[in-house]
Each structure stands twice: as C-alpha cells, then as structure tokens.
Amino acid sequence: MVLFLLLASAFLGLLAGLFPVVGTESEREANPRSSYQPPSLEPLPSPAASNCSQMTLKLDFSSEVVENEYIVAFTGYFSAKARSLYISSALRGTADKKLEWHIVPRENPASDFPSDFELIHIRQASPSSLLTLEDHPYIKRVTPQRKVFRTLKYIPSPEPAVPCNGPPDSQKWQSSRPFRRTSLSLGSGFWHATGRHSSRRLLRAIPRHVAQILQADVLWQMGHTGSGVKVAVFDTGLSEKHPHFKNVKERTNWTNEKTLDDGLGHGTFVAGVIASMRECQGFAPDSELHIFRVFTNNQVSYTSWFLDAFNYAILKKIDVLNLSIGGPDFMDHPFVDKVWELTANKVIMVSAIGNDGPLYGTLNNPADQMDVIGVGGIDFEDNIARFSSRGMTTWELPGGYGRVKPDIVTYGSGVRGSGLKEGCRSLSGTSVASPVVAGAVTLLASTVLNRELVNPASMKQALIASARRLPGVNMFEQGHGKLDLIRAYQILNSYRPQASLSPSYIDLTECPYMWPYCSQPIYYGGMPTIVNVTILNGMGVTGRIVDKPIWQPYLPQNGDNIDVAVSYSPVLWPWAGYLAVSISVAKKAASWEGIAQGHVMVTVASPAENDSEVGGELTSTVKLSIKVKIVPTPPRSKRVLWDQYHNLRYPPGYFPRDNLRMKNDPLDWNGDHIHTNFRDMYQHLRSMGYFVEVLGAPLTCFDASQYGTLLMVDSEEEYFPEEITKLRRDIDNGLSLIIFSDWYNTSVMRKVKFYDENTRQWWMPDTGGANVPALNDLISVWGMAFSDGLYEGDFTMADHDMYYASGCSIARFPEDGIVIAKNLKDQGLEVLKQETAVVEGVPILGLYQTPSEGGGRIALYGDSNCIDDSHRQKDCFWLLDALLQYTSYSMTPPSLSHSHSRVAPPAGAERPLPQRLEGNHLYRYSKVLEAHLGDPKPRPLPACPHLSWAKPQPLNETAPSNLWKQQKLLSVDLDKVALPNMKSYRPQVRPLSPGESGAWDIPGGIMPGRYNQEVGQTIPVFAFLGAMVVLSFFVVQLTKAKSKPKRRKPRIKRPTYLQQQTATAGKNPTV
C-alpha cells in the first residue's frame, strides 16, 4: 500500500511538471495575455501561438519649437515667487512697454520646490526683450521651449514565429530613420557587414534571459539584488499593478495627461530589464524603482518636462538614471547643462548611443557626453549590431578630433523584457542595451559596502576596465568592449578613488582596434595626429591637473624621434575632462622608418571631501603610453590634404542634406570628416597608396609644397580673402585642386525652409548642399563657376554606372579644358512646380591644366553624394582615382578625354551665376563672417594654431612590448575578491510548452523571498528524475524482501533507541 501511494505521488508530480496549472475563471480573466492589444499599436501576437512576442522596435525622434514659449534659466535655485519677481524686474526695463507675457504654470511634483528655471509665454517677443531678460544678474540664459516627438512602433517580425529562446538572428531591425530602412535591410548590397563572421556558420541557440547570460545570478547567490539603490526610468510610465515589480517606490507624471500608466509598453519594458522579479527577470529586483513618465501616449514631450523631472531626481537623491532617448543636438544648452548638474550630484546616467549605425559620426546626446555612460548594442554572437551608432564625437570638429564613444557595448538585439500588462516581449535597439547596463550598474552599486565610493566616474572606470574586448572591431564601434558584470564587481569591490584615462594608451600600430589611427603611419612634415583622451576622475566631482603633463620618450625605442604637445581641461568637471595629445615626427627622423615609444605622465588632484585638514587634496598619477610607426616622408604626389575647416554641420545651424530625396533626415549632422561619413572614401584612398591628412585651420596655415592635391568636398563655409589669394599662388606653384560641389538654388532653399529658434520665424537654409557662391569666388580667377541648376539621374560614365543626387552643373569653364556632360532630370523644377523634365547635355565634370609653368591642375564635379556614406547609392571612387591620377601625375584618363560625352566648355554668358540668399544668417555660425550693420563681412584672419611641444625627459629604459593588457586600476587585485564556489548557472535551451510561462526557472536559494513564487512551473526533467529515483528505490527494496527466506521472529520488547528512531521517522512510539 505504501509503495502504491509513493508511486502515485511521483506520477502526479510528473504530470504537474508536464502540464500547466489551470486557474479559475476569474484568474483566467485577469490574465488576458493572448487578447490584450496596447493602444495605438499593432496587435501583439498571441503567446499561445508564438510562445513569445517577437518585436522589432522602430524608434524615431524629432523636435520643433513651441511658438512664443521660452525657458528662462537662473543662476541658482529660487522659489516661485522669487523667480517671478526676477522676470518682472527684467522685463520692466524693456523698450516695449506693451509687452504681453505670463508664466506658464507647471503642475507636477517638482512645482512645490525651488527651481532653477521658469517657463514663460511672451507674445511677439522681440530680440531686444530677450536680451533684456538675459541682462538680469540672476538670469543665465533664455532659450526656446522645445516639443519632442518620439515615434515608437513595435512591428511583428515577418518571419515565422519562434520561441523567445530561439536563435538570435530571428530578430530584424528597422532604422530609427525611415529613409534608411531599405538601405539597411539584410538584402542590401551597399552596407557592409560589421560582424567578425562573414562565412556560413552554425548558430547557437541562446536564450534571451540577459541578466543570467551576464551572470547576475552569481551576485544573487551572494545576496546582492539591488537593495538600497534608487534607480529612475525616464520613459512612458508603468502600470500600478504590474505583476513583475515588487518595489516601485514612486510613479510621477510630468506630462499634461492625467495618468501614470504606460500606454505604449516601452517604459514597462525598460523597467523590466532593470528590475523585474519574475518571468523575464531584471538585474536588480530589490532596487527602489522610481518611474518618471515624461512622454505622453502620443509620444510627445517638452524640454521643460525633462528639466523639472531632472530637478526632482536630484531632490530624491536618485543613484542611477536610465535615459533611452537621444538626438544629434549636443548644443541644446538647457538639456546638456542639466545633465551635467545631475551627474555632479552623483547621479549615474546611462544613455543609449543611438540607432543610426552603421554610419560613423552618428552618436546621440547625452550619451556622447564625457560624464554619461554611453551604451552601444551587440547581438548574442558578440557582433556589433548594425543599428548601433558609431563614433567619433563631433563636438571637437573642425580644429580638433573626436573622443572615443560608445563607452561600452552589451546585448541589445532580441533582449526579453516585461510586456505592457504582464508576460514578456523581445525587442532590439540601443534603447534596449541601455537598461541592460543600467540594471547592471544598479546591481553593482548594491554590492559596495561603502556607497560613498560609487559615483559616475568610479562606476564608468569599473565598467570600462573590466570590459571584454571584441576581436576584429575598432574602438569607435565597441568602445572598451563588452560588459563583464563579474569582473566589474571584482574591480568595484577593491576600488580606491583615483584618476584613469579613456583610452588608457595610444598605439598607432594596433589594428583594427585603434582604427583610424593605425590605418596610416606618421611622417615628418605631416599634420600632427591628434588623439582626444578622456580623463575620468573618481576622486571627486571637480579636479585639476597638477603642473603640466610630462613627456618621457624611451631612448632604446627611439622615442626621441617624435614630438608631443598636450592640451587639457583647466578644470575637470563634472567627474571628467579632456587630454588632447598631438603627435608629430621630429626633423631628424624625416627619412627614418621604425617604431617609436614613450609615455605621458599626468597627475590629477581633487579636494578631499572628508579630509579634516583645510585644503587637503587627493592626488592620482596616470601614465599614457604612446607607440607610433614612423615612415619616411612620402612623395608630394601621394599626399592628399582634406579641407575640414570649411565644412559646417548641425548643430548649431540648420544645414540641409546634400540629397534632397532624403526628406526624413534633412540635416547634415555627421561632421563631414574622413573618419565619419567619408570613411569609405578614406579607406579606399589608403588602399590605393595615398596618404590623407586633415586641415582643421584656414588655407593660409599649410605648406602647399608638401601636398599634391587639396580635396574640397561639400564645403558650406565662406573663405577669407587671404585664403583666396594664397590658394591662387599655391596652384600656380604646383598644388592641384579637386572640388566636389553640391546643389545651391535660392528658390529651392526657400522651399525647404526651417523654423528659426531665435527669431521665432520660418527661415531658409543659409546654404544649399554646398556654398556655391563662395566656391565660385574661390575659383573665379581661372574662369570657372558652378551654376544654381539642380539635377539628378542615372547615367553611365567610362563604363561605370553613376547616380547624380541633387547636384549642380558647371556654368563656366576655360575653353581649353575638358568638360563631360550628361542628360539629367531637372530636380529643381520638380521641387518647385512638381513637374518633370529632362535636360540634355548638363556639364557635370571639368578638368583643367593651369597655364603657368609648373602649375597645378583643377578638377570640378557637381555632386558629392557618390563619395559620402550618408546616402550614397552608387559610389564613384573610380572617378576619384581618375581625378587624383590627373591632379597628382598629370595623367589624363583616356576614358574621359576621348569620351563621347565630352562637350565644349560652357562660357556661362547666357545665365547669371548664383547669388547668396538675401537676408541669410550664415554669419551666426560662420568662422569667417561676422555681423556688421546688417551686412556681414569677413572677420580678421585668425592666427594659425601653434603647438607648444613638451620638453622631453628621456628614459634610458625598455618600453613595454605590449601596451594592450586588460586595463588595470590602481590597487585592484581581482584575486582578493572571492566569488562563490559554484557552477555558473546557465538556463536550459528549449521551446516553451503551450500555455507555459515564458520565464527561465531559477533554482531555489538563488533569490530570497518571493522571487520563486510563480516564476515558472515545475521543470518536467526534474520531476521525471525524482519519480525514477523513488521508483528504483522501492523496486530494489521489494526485490530484497522477496529474495530472503521467511522466518517467524519471536515478539520481543523494542529497545529504547529503536523507539526514538521510530519517533524521529514521524510515527507514534509503541507503549
């Protein structure tokens, strides 16, 4: 009988593991997972049918200015009454006595506390009234109020449904910019794969339970679950009774909608990745979750909402803040200033780097700031996600060089997170990778006993020092590498306050990680190589560099063959600063080839917060190792100089795209640098043996005798008169010039107008795709000019297929030159009148040898889109090769000189040349022009940059042979930080049973409390094994019993110890 009962119990346990538990009717009604459809979104597929919601996240941001509303920023925090008095006092001094204004009420949780800004409405504000406001001693800045639109679309995967734990390549990505969706599809032939694997391979089936993939369960077993850490999610809100969250401390609404709930699902997903306690579990389920609803259900937000919410986050002493938003405007002063203030108050901000990859120079703000942890995305095979934005930062252009970003990468493709009401969904994007790092940071912060050591700098130091570098990927794609949670824990728990560098060394010989530095050796006479290093100061929010950095070359490694100049931040605030290192070759190494090494020593000091002594400081000395390859100076014909100084981009001004077909991405914001959106062109020129250098100063600041060709592409800036004179002299002495122009038509510019944030009026772009009137001034001395015609079309040139995208034509050219013409569509007519016409014989290419003895050559082409990575459809690198052969070696390509498309050079008498747009505001953003009584004029020519070379302090010792070791912080010994002696948990890989929970089951004891409740049903394998063990035991016992001979035993009184054993077994003792 006992055997029968035990076998029945084991069998029932097995059934319980194999089949789902059926609830009551009311429970099933409370669990409408299969029928729920979030508002304004496409219906989600039923989990019963597809096991999991597999979604592609399409994310888009745009903004516009709110008419007549202004944000008045103050120099400190004041009460509402004081702010009103200051504004009234300032506006009383305005000349307009009938000015109508009022303070816009802001009804949110921060309205009862002092604030550092006010939102006012001024009807028909004049520039003078705004200047009067800014003149008040307590008013710092007046900026327009912005309205932000975010478009979130969850698109079901078009492929057959697969389980959430299916292979990672079941996810598809849609670009955040609609125009790029097709060019970034898997079938695109233009965008090259960025992953390390290009051949066919067997894909591993990896679950999307990202917290356990990153081994968060190791820290859970140690008792660390995020307890005591306040984490803020700035997104679309969260439902009050969502079953995944146990510790939601506060939900606040900063929008104009009267709800705290999430109507879209994005905020819920982000919160789930950070702090979900069941099913698709987050990293830190015990953390204090603070939900900031800053987007409406229509996906609208305002700058003032963010500013109020940021102030409230500071007031609530938030520890970690996730911001899965971003945009290209790093000059949005109220927003950027507030981010600095947040981090200065020890708020660790984690932000998505952007979804505009694989194009370079597409970093989003605020993730591109030094004090913010910028996160990029990878897939589950450790390939950089195609959508993840690439560096470098473009703040520093044109004179400097960008910083390394992202800081770190982690899983952002096919990650599982909480559904809108319950259940799980799988999404992709850097807005998914950001909460993965935010959750990891929250969990890591909870492991540190001395929380005073945790700050934005120390946390970033631990993350980047512990990151695992991905092979075959450069630093502008992966930053410091892949997030390693356990190593970060070890570093953080043996950390002491110090300074560190990012990158921690400079090795111009290490490819591909140090691309683009490693792609070209340095040589005497070349433009200095600039490396922009970020200083992270974990000792305090503010700091300084003591004395000057010291340059110490290694004599045995030829360090005296290079010169080094260093510039740096006068103040490191908040938590960070820059160290710009310029490297050049000494004259004595003009014909030498080899490797040179040295290092720069930097000492950082910060006030000691807890030091009882007055003036006490903490100091930290860091070493920046430098290794370069030097080659003899190349011949002049192989050296190409790229003009960066005359390229303008957004921000600060509105400069339109070169291709007018790209209506969904109208701004030129990628920097126009050879290492951003002209990267492919640069790589091609290097492969052809050319040495490409960048000029970040006026044309008066380079030695033309060193270069064969000056390359000007898509120039929007004006030219100093001295530049025009010098260029004419340089070309007469043998320098050649290649110009790739773009469209310029004042009627079209008026058609593609923008809203001016300062004058509150619609205005036209101040240039077209290029500044054609300025270019015409530059080349007029040779009888050349571009027209204001606007053309596009496909054609064939020298047996190459070409596409002309919004280019101009050549209006004038010397009669002894070579001109190539093609039949193209009149795009200007199409834009202005929506009519289509084909123009025959449009001159688009011109080649000219100047008449002076030993003079250079000039080549003109009317469109730059064919060498620009931004929207290139068909490249024309072959044409660039042919033009360089012509300009560098005076070899006229026969395919052009004898082309059937060659026409007589146009004289240009029948059509006037394009004129500058009347009333344009280019002077506001120009380095050349300045305002002068309504008629802009050139500024005085600036002095050429002068580098102060550091005095070397040579070392007669051997340099380290391998600069790339895992970054080590001072006093960090990973062996001293013990981990539990256990096997790392890996969830099993299997499809979900119909009706089964989508969770990965957590073994008992990993997470205390109620995390085991409803995490999942009993695992069938465990139930089956348990039943088999019980069955085997009783079969053995029964066999033994039958094999023994039966003997009648006399009845005797049981000994006391047997009675005690029987009592222990749960039976009543015999009396």
Side-chain angles (χ1 to χ4, degrees):
M1 185 65 180
V2 174
L3 175 61
F4 175 79
L5 291 176
L6 289 173
L7 289 175
S9 299
F11 182 72
L12 290 175
L14 177 62
L15 291 179
L18 291 174
F19 296 100
V21 177
V22 180
T24 62
E25 184 65 24
S26 59
E27 289 173 339
R28 288 196 297 269
E29 289 176 356
N31 183 27
R33 188 184 311 177
S34 62
S35 61
Y36 178 76
Q37 297 179 6
S40 71
L41 298 176
E42 295 186 23
L44 296 178
S46 168
S50 62
N51 296 326
C52 179
S53 175
Q54 296 282 347
M55 294 301 213
T56 296
L57 173 60
K58 178 187 169 187
L59 185 63
D60 189 23
F61 285 95
S62 61
S63 66
E64 66 179 32
V65 174
V66 181
E67 190 173 1
N68 299 328
E69 288 190 5
Y70 298 86
I71 295 173
V72 180
F74 295 92
T75 56
Y77 283 79
F78 302 101
S79 65
K81 182 177 180 181
R83 299 195 303 269
S84 177
L85 289 175
Y86 294 153
I87 294 174
S88 300
S89 174
L91 290 179
R92 273 199 298 268
T94 184
D96 187 2
K97 301 302 180 182
K98 297 182 179 180
L99 186 68
E100 298 183 16
W101 67 275
H102 67 270
I103 294 177
V104 179
R106 311 197 308 274
E107 298 179 2
N108 56 53
S111 58
D112 296 332
F113 301 96
S115 178
D116 62 342
F117 79 96
E118 194 65 88
L119 181 63
I120 65 172
H121 183 279
I122 304 179
R123 185 176 181 183
Q124 296 179 346
S126 63
S128 60
S129 61
L130 299 182
L131 291 175
T132 303
L133 264 177
E134 291 184 338
D135 287 340
H136 193 278
Y138 289 131
I139 294 178
K140 180 169 63 175
R141 186 181 294 112
V142 180
T143 54
Q145 160 85 315
R146 278 192 175 185
K147 185 177 184 179
V148 181
F149 298 93
R150 182 174 72 171
T151 305
L152 292 170
K153 294 183 179 179
Y154 302 106
I155 305 173
S157 174
E159 306 218 347
V162 295
C164 277
N165 54 338
D169 61 345
S170 62
Q171 294 297 309
K172 302 293 182 184
W173 172 78
Q174 299 287 344
S175 168
S176 64
R177 302 185 180 277
F179 76 86
R180 202 175 292 162
R181 283 203 300 268
T182 53
S183 63
L184 289 180
S185 64
L186 295 180
S188 172
F190 159 60
W191 291 113
H192 301 292
T194 59
R196 293 179 283 112
H197 310 293
S198 57
S199 60
R200 294 186 183 131
R201 59 200 182 278
L202 182 65
L203 300 179
R204 294 177 294 122
I206 301 179
R208 267 52 166 244
H209 195 78
V210 68
Q212 289 181 336
I213 293 174
L214 292 172
Q215 296 181 284
D217 52 332
V218 175
L219 301 184
W220 294 344
Q221 289 195 27
M222 299 171 65
H224 304 301
T225 55
S227 178
V229 180
K230 299 178 181 179
V231 57
V233 176
F234 278 57
D235 218 289
T236 56
L238 177 69
S239 299
E240 180 179 7
K241 296 182 179 180
H242 198 292
H244 286 187
F245 305 97
K246 64 165 289 188
N247 203 13
V248 180
K249 285 295 182 180
E250 187 177 26
R251 298 183 306 146
T252 52
N253 177 37
W254 305 88
T255 72
N256 53 14
E257 294 180 340
K258 303 301 181 182
T259 181
L260 295 166
D261 292 342
D262 183 3
L264 298 174
H266 191 267
T268 304
F269 181 92
V270 169
V273 173
I274 296 173
S276 173
M277 71 171 184
R278 57 166 59 92
E279 295 190 87
C280 33
Q281 286 181 311
F283 286 82
D286 261 338
S287 60
E288 296 183 11
L289 202 55
H290 294 253
I291 303 299
F292 289 72
R293 188 175 187 271
V294 291
F295 278 96
T296 67
N297 287 336
N298 292 326
Q299 305 176 53
V300 173
S301 187
Y302 291 86
T303 300
S304 60
W305 293 355
F306 275 100
L307 299 183
D308 269 330
F310 285 153
N311 283 341
Y312 194 69
I314 295 173
L315 183 69
K316 287 292 183 177
K317 299 186 183 302
I318 294 297
D319 298 310
V320 182
L321 191 154
N322 181 80
L323 198 63
S324 292
I325 69 165
D329 189 3
F330 54 79
M331 291 187 177
D332 184 5
H333 289 292
F335 192 92
V336 173
D337 289 351
K338 188 57 66 176
V339 170
W340 284 336
E341 185 180 350
L342 273 166
T343 56
N345 281 274
K346 299 187 74 171
V347 178
I348 302 172
M349 178 174 282
V350 183
S351 185
I353 205 68
N355 287 351
D356 296 298
L359 184 65
Y360 280 67
T362 52
L363 301 175
N364 281 209
N365 182 265
D368 61 350
Q369 295 183 210
M370 287 186 285
D371 52 323
V372 176
I373 299 174
V375 184
I378 59 175
D379 63 21
F380 283 102
E381 291 192 330
D382 290 351
N383 299 312
I384 299 296
R386 291 173 60 84
F387 55 74
S388 187
S389 290
R390 272 67 166 170
M392 59 184 178
T393 62
T394 58
W395 296 40
E396 298 79 7
L397 298 179
Y401 196 83
R403 289 171 282 109
V404 175
K405 282 281 183 170
D407 295 302
I408 199 169
V409 294
T410 192
Y411 300 119
S413 180
V415 173
R416 300 181 69 222
S418 298
L420 183 61
K421 293 298 182 182
E422 58 181 14
C424 301
R425 60 166 43 160
S426 182
L427 296 179
S428 299
T430 54
S431 65
V432 174
S434 178
V436 170
V437 172
V441 166
T442 304
L443 180 59
L444 288 170
S446 70
T447 67
V448 181
L449 295 178
N450 183 6
R451 295 286 175 87
E452 291 297 320
L453 294 177
V454 179
N455 58 56
S458 65
M459 184 60 72
K460 182 184 284 192
Q461 287 173 329
L463 291 177
I464 66 178
S466 62
R468 300 282 184 179
R469 183 177 294 182
L470 302 177
V473 182
N474 71 57
M475 59 186 179
F476 288 135
E477 290 184 332
Q478 67 168 309
H480 293 270
K482 173 187 173 183
L483 171 67
D484 189 325
L485 183 64
I486 300 304
R487 287 181 61 85
Y489 161 76
Q490 293 174 305
I491 289 176
L492 202 58
N493 279 271
S494 58
Y495 174 85
R496 69 168 181 147
Q498 61 194 276
S500 65
L501 303 175
S502 171
S504 61
Y505 68 96
I506 301 172
D507 187 351
L508 274 61
T509 68
E510 182 188 358
C511 270
Y513 181 72
M514 280 283 171
W515 186 94
Y517 299 112
C518 65
S519 62
Q520 180 170 294
I522 63 175
Y523 41 84
Y524 175 70
M527 293 290 173
T529 297
I530 304 173
V531 183
N532 196 342
V533 179
T534 298
I535 305 173
L536 296 173
N537 179 22
M539 298 179 292
V541 65
T542 184
R544 62 184 179 87
I545 292 181
V546 179
D547 298 326
K548 291 184 178 180
I550 301 172
W551 162 238
Q552 295 183 305
Y554 293 108
L555 294 181
Q557 275 71 42
N558 310 296
D560 54 339
N561 284 337
I562 55 177
D563 296 324
V564 170
V566 179
S567 60
Y568 51 87
S569 303
V571 178
L572 308 180
W573 184 92
W575 309 105
Y578 71 86
L579 181 73
V581 181
S582 300
I583 307 171
S584 190
V585 177
K587 185 175 182 180
K588 67 177 183 178
S591 58
W592 181 78
E593 182 173 359
I595 303 296
Q597 288 186 251
H599 65 243
V600 174
M601 300 295 293
V602 182
T603 300
V604 177
S606 283
E609 297 180 0
N610 299 321
D611 198 328
S612 58
E613 299 180 9
V614 178
E617 281 189 325
L618 298 175
T619 60
S620 177
T621 301
V622 291
K623 179 172 72 174
L624 179 70
S625 298
I626 298 176
K627 182 178 181 181
V628 301
K629 181 180 181 181
I630 299 174
V631 297
T633 303
R636 179 183 187 184
S637 59
K638 282 291 186 182
R639 296 177 63 180
V640 177
L641 186 63
W642 173 272
D643 178 22
Q644 185 68 40
Y645 186 78
H646 295 92
N647 288 334
L648 299 176
R649 50 91 171 89
Y650 173 87
Y654 284 106
F655 297 99
R657 275 290 186 200
D658 307 324
N659 187 347
L660 290 177
R661 291 288 178 197
M662 303 297 107
K663 297 180 180 179
N664 293 316
D665 187 25
L667 301 176
D668 191 353
W669 64 284
N670 304 128
D672 286 344
H673 193 276
I674 59 172
H675 298 153
T676 58
N677 53 307
F678 288 93
R679 173 180 181 267
D680 287 353
M681 180 211 72
Y682 166 75
Q683 293 283 73
H684 177 81
L685 291 180
R686 287 294 300 128
S687 69
M688 298 301 294
Y690 292 100
F691 293 83
V692 187
E693 301 172 39
V694 177
L695 176 64
L699 299 179
T700 54
C701 297
F702 77 100
D703 181 4
S705 64
Q706 299 285 323
Y707 301 93
T709 302
L710 174 65
L711 185 56
M712 292 183 170
V713 180
D714 187 23
S715 301
E716 294 93 355
E717 181 64 280
E718 294 283 339
Y719 296 89
F720 292 103
E722 296 88 344
E723 291 183 292
I724 298 175
T725 302
K726 178 179 181 294
L727 183 62
R728 178 182 181 183
R729 185 170 62 249
D730 290 341
I731 291 180
D732 287 342
N733 292 329
L735 178 71
S736 293
L737 174 66
I738 297 177
I739 297 179
F740 281 79
S741 184
D742 267 302
W743 69 273
Y744 187 98
N745 185 287
T746 55
S747 299
V748 174
M749 290 161 63
R750 292 187 180 94
K751 186 77 172 180
V752 291
K753 59 185 178 180
F754 293 95
Y755 194 76
D756 180 11
E757 297 187 356
N758 298 299
T759 63
R760 318 298 293 171
Q761 296 176 350
W762 288 98
W763 59 280
M764 284 64 67
D766 296 309
T767 70
N771 192 341
V772 167
L775 287 173
N776 287 345
D777 290 345
L778 190 69
I779 60 178
S780 61
V781 66
W782 295 286
M784 302 178 183
F786 290 104
S787 76
D788 63 354
L790 180 55
Y791 304 98
E792 73 158 347
D794 294 287
F795 59 91
T796 300
M797 181 187 294
D799 296 327
H800 292 273
D801 292 333
M802 301 279 286
Y803 176 67
Y804 210 67
S806 304
C808 66
S809 64
I810 297 175
R812 295 178 185 173
F813 209 73
E815 60 182 8
D816 53 343
I818 299 173
V819 174
I820 304 297
K822 293 293 178 180
N823 299 337
L824 298 171
K825 290 190 293 184
D826 188 339
Q827 192 177 18
L829 184 66
E830 181 182 351
V831 172
L832 296 174
K833 299 183 179 180
Q834 291 75 49
E835 298 177 2
T836 304
V838 175
V839 182
E840 296 184 355
V842 178
I844 59 174
L845 175 64
L847 307 177
Y848 178 67
Q849 168 69 61
T850 57
S852 58
E853 183 178 356
R857 288 153 293 280
I858 301 175
L860 306 182
Y861 188 67
D863 180 33
S864 71
N865 283 279
C866 58
I867 58 174
D868 186 343
D869 299 347
S870 298
H871 305 119
R872 185 178 68 236
Q873 298 185 28
K874 298 176 182 177
D875 73 73
C876 62
F877 297 148
W878 72 270
L879 177 61
L880 181 59
D881 291 342
L883 297 183
L884 284 171
Q885 286 287 320
Y886 175 71
T887 58
S888 299
Y889 304 103
S890 189
M891 296 174 56
T892 305
S895 59
L896 299 179
S897 59
H898 299 91
S899 172
H900 66 277
S901 300
R902 182 173 176 177
V903 297
E910 69 281 357
R911 186 171 181 177
L913 297 180
Q915 301 297 313
R916 291 171 176 84
L917 181 67
E918 185 177 352
N920 74 77
H921 302 119
L922 182 62
Y923 65 88
R924 294 177 179 172
Y925 321 108
S926 172
K927 302 178 291 294
V928 177
L929 300 178
E930 64 179 357
H932 180 69
L933 300 177
D935 184 20
K937 68 174 186 178
R939 304 172 187 266
L941 181 70
C944 295
H946 176 71
L947 294 175
S948 179
W949 302 107
K951 184 178 180 179
Q953 297 183 9
L955 297 175
N956 193 17
E957 61 183 66
T958 303
S961 58
N962 182 14
L963 300 187
W964 180 52
K965 297 174 181 178
Q966 193 67 37
Q967 293 192 45
K968 291 184 178 179
L969 300 177
L970 300 177
S971 300
V972 172
D973 188 353
L974 300 185
D975 295 332
K976 293 182 179 179
V977 184
L979 294 172
N981 185 17
M982 61 180 182
K983 293 183 178 179
S984 179
Y985 177 76
R986 287 292 182 273
Q988 59 170 336
V989 181
R990 61 177 180 82
L992 302 176
S993 302
E996 181 185 351
S997 168
W1000 291 105
D1001 299 302
I1002 309 301
I1006 289 183
M1007 300 178 64
R1010 57 177 184 157
Y1011 303 130
N1012 293 320
Q1013 299 176 12
E1014 300 176 14
V1015 170
Q1017 308 298 334
T1018 306
I1019 298 180
V1021 175
F1022 291 164
F1024 179 79
L1025 291 177
M1028 295 308 298
V1029 169
V1030 173
L1031 180 61
S1032 301
F1033 173 80
F1034 284 104
V1035 168
V1036 171
Q1037 295 299 320
L1038 184 62
T1039 303
K1040 286 182 178 181
K1042 289 185 177 181
S1043 63
K1044 291 182 180 180
K1046 296 183 179 180
R1047 291 187 303 174
R1048 186 178 182 86
K1049 294 182 180 180
R1051 294 178 60 88
I1052 60 174
K1053 186 176 181 180
R1054 294 190 179 187
T1056 306
Y1057 75 92
L1058 286 178
Q1059 296 179 15
Q1060 293 173 350
Q1061 287 183 358
T1062 307
T1064 305
K1067 296 183 178 181
N1068 295 327
T1070 304
V1071 180

